[in-house]
Amino acid sequence: MASTREWFETVEEARRRARRHLPRSVYLSLVAGAEKGITLRDNVAAFGELRFTPPHIAGLPATRQLATSVLGQDIALPVIASPTGVQAVHPDGEAGVARGAAEAGTAIGLSSFASMPVEDVAPANPKLFFQLYWSGTKDAMLQRIDRARQAGAKALIVTLDWSFSNGRDWGSPAIPEKMDLRTMVRFAPEGLARPGYVRQWLRAGGLPDLTVPNMAAPGEAAPTFFGVYGEWMQTPPPSWADLAWLREQWDGPFMVKGVMRTDEARRCVDIGATAISVSNHGGNNLDGTPASIRALPAVADAVGAQLEVLLDGGVRRGSDVVKALALGARAVMIGRAYLWGLAANGSAGVKNVFDVLRGGIDSTLLALGRPSVHDLSPEDVIAPADFARGLSK
Ligand SMILES: Cc1cc2nc3c(=O)[nH]c(=O)nc-3n(C[C@H](O)[C@H](O)[C@H](O)COP(=O)(O)O)c2cc1C
């Protein structure tokens, strides 16, 4: 269906609308990517290296089955929203993402660095998975996950692929610590260039809130993003024993996000994880590591029968989802795609992104002659000989 004011037909069109609508620094902080952006670009380019086997023309399935389950939740299509911090791109924020995903019949990951409290987001989508970083004391982490559990989170995601890389060759956008009069004056030129964005926030009753309420200690005000970032940087990284401890604290489905190696995927099985996501944090971790889709086949071979293998990074169309499933993923998570949808049209834009992906998955299944997402196999795609870039462990 051709794009209209209310509907975009591709994720790329959502990105263009987001770029036109958002102040420059907000748009750049979504696109981001560490250092030179090698991994950021490879995440997308690697999907382009994969080809499908020639389409069938007869005997095709009249209907296709897209439904599956992830972390104990039934979902209408094999795509969920990956956790992303501080969604100041639209006043609907994380609650809008939750609603858009719920209307599309799927689940969300809610970041511990989100701008809305888990208690306000969970009612919009009961299929909510809370995401935690290894930050602060064990007591503080326990308190955060306990709060998420009480708010109704169905699973815990621990994200481990962050090594505080700093410096982007294209220049990191200046993100203020909080919105006060001084900040507003400083950012006025950007606001003047994007009056629609400013109007939208004023109509919603304020300006973007850059605090992270899910990181607040009991009874304390929400800290700022940069306040908690400092705490996280100073926290010693976890050992496998620490991760086994964390897993024991959560009585329910548990995902480790950021796995790129088969040996560590096996360690995730050992600690009793329910799922992993093969991920390089959307190209925001160590620049120069390969696209996550290149690591997927070896990881899925190693552990796919023992836990749920998801993938995130670079998914921009339904056919990308099908490629990931063919190479062993149970489902994928999307990041920037739904953030662009949110920026373009709030909660409806998030649903629009899932609908675009649903349509793309469905037509790819039809062409491949596969009646269900569960029927896909590596035989459906053609990968160049060096696709895995030597990744086998
Ligand atoms: C702006 C932005 C913020 C993010 N914040 C988080 C976060 O708070 N927690 C997390 O686990 N991952 C975070 N991620 C990573 C995403 O969950 C996901 O791994 C990544 O976006 C997938 O790549 P894609 O954007 O190409 O789909 C963030 C990514 C972006 C782009």
Side-chain angles (χ1 to χ4, degrees):
M1 188 164 75
S3 295
T4 63
R5 258 179 78 87
E6 289 78 32
W7 164 264
F8 42 84
E9 66 175 306
T10 59
V11 170
E12 178 58 14
E13 174 58 14
R15 187 192 66 77
R16 282 193 290 268
R17 291 183 188 192
R19 192 185 54 199
R20 284 199 299 270
H21 176 70
L22 294 173
R24 188 177 145 74
S25 52
V26 180
Y27 175 72
L28 288 180
S29 65
L30 291 195
V31 182
E35 300 199 341
K36 199 176 175 187
I38 297 170
T39 303
L40 172 74
R41 281 190 299 277
D42 196 38
N43 274 351
V44 175
F47 278 105
E49 288 176 25
L50 294 169
R51 298 285 182 273
F52 290 111
T53 52
H56 294 263
I57 53 170
L60 300 176
T63 56
R64 278 77 51 194
Q65 165 69 258
L66 271 63
T68 188
S69 67
V70 163
L71 292 165
Q73 299 301 307
D74 291 332
I75 50 177
L77 72 169
V79 186
I80 71 171
S82 206
T84 59
V86 191
Q87 293 165 6
V89 299
H90 191 280
D92 286 357
E94 289 83 1
V97 173
R99 204 162 51 245
E103 283 167 10
T106 194
I108 63 155
L110 179 71
S111 172
S112 49
F113 279 24
S115 68
M116 289 183 176
V118 58
E119 294 81 1
D120 292 359
V121 180
N125 190 338
K127 297 176 184 180
L128 180 145
F129 311 142
F130 185 72
Q131 177 266 323
L132 185 82
Y133 287 116
W134 189 265
S135 173
T137 62
K138 284 185 171 173
D139 279 351
M141 288 185 252
L142 281 183
Q143 175 265 315
R144 285 170 204 146
I145 65 176
D146 198 44
R147 175 178 166 188
R149 185 189 292 113
Q150 283 178 31
K154 300 293 187 306
L156 184 67
I157 300 175
V158 57
T159 299
L160 299 172
D161 58 346
W162 190 260
S163 38
F164 305 98
S165 128
N166 50 49
R168 296 176 172 123
D169 288 6
W170 42 269
S172 293
I175 305 288
E177 171 135 18
K178 55 178 187 259
M179 274 294 172
D180 53 17
L181 196 61
R182 255 182 73 195
T183 314
M184 281 156 66
V185 171
R186 199 170 128 222
F187 282 85
E190 281 202 49
L192 287 174
R194 292 290 185 272
Y197 174 82
V198 176
R199 247 195 332 269
Q200 198 174 53
W201 279 95
L202 292 177
R203 261 203 310 265
L207 285 169
D209 181 359
L210 301 175
T211 57
V212 285
N214 298 306
M215 295 292 282
E220 286 188 6
T224 63
F225 179 87
F226 290 105
V228 289
Y229 197 78
E231 174 203 89
W232 183 20
M233 280 183 96
Q234 282 154 27
T235 307
S239 63
W240 281 104
D242 289 327
L243 296 173
W245 167 84
L246 182 64
R247 203 287 164 254
E248 276 169 23
Q249 310 309 311
W250 182 263
D251 178 21
F254 181 92
M255 174 193 281
V256 180
K257 177 168 176 281
V259 180
M260 287 285 287
R261 306 171 56 98
T262 54
D263 52 353
E264 296 199 318
R266 288 194 194 96
R267 300 294 294 262
C268 292
V269 174
D270 294 342
I271 65 165
T274 321
I276 54 175
S277 189
V278 178
S279 168
N280 50 37
H281 215 110
N284 283 309
N285 190 20
L286 177 62
D287 196 29
T289 52
S292 46
I293 187 77
R294 299 191 195 282
L296 174 67
V299 170
D301 267 3
V303 297
Q306 289 153 291
L307 41 62
E308 295 177 2
V309 177
L310 280 82
L311 167 124
D312 68 81
V315 174
R316 302 287 184 268
R317 53 193 79 245
S319 59
D320 293 343
V321 180
V322 171
K323 288 172 181 176
L325 266 56
L327 294 183
R330 183 182 183 87
V332 305
M333 305 205 289
I334 53 169
R336 291 178 184 84
Y338 77 78
L339 289 172
W340 293 330
L342 179 68
N345 198 17
S347 159
V350 174
K351 173 161 189 299
N352 191 154
V353 165
F354 284 108
D355 286 344
V356 164
L357 296 178
R358 183 202 316 277
I361 298 168
D362 188 58
S363 61
T364 309
L365 289 177
L366 176 62
L368 293 174
R370 298 294 188 200
S372 159
V373 289
H374 301 285
D375 298 326
L376 292 162
S377 81
E379 283 161 26
D380 292 308
V381 293
I382 305 165
D386 65 342
F387 183 71
R389 298 286 193 273
L391 281 170
S392 57
K393 62 177 182 160

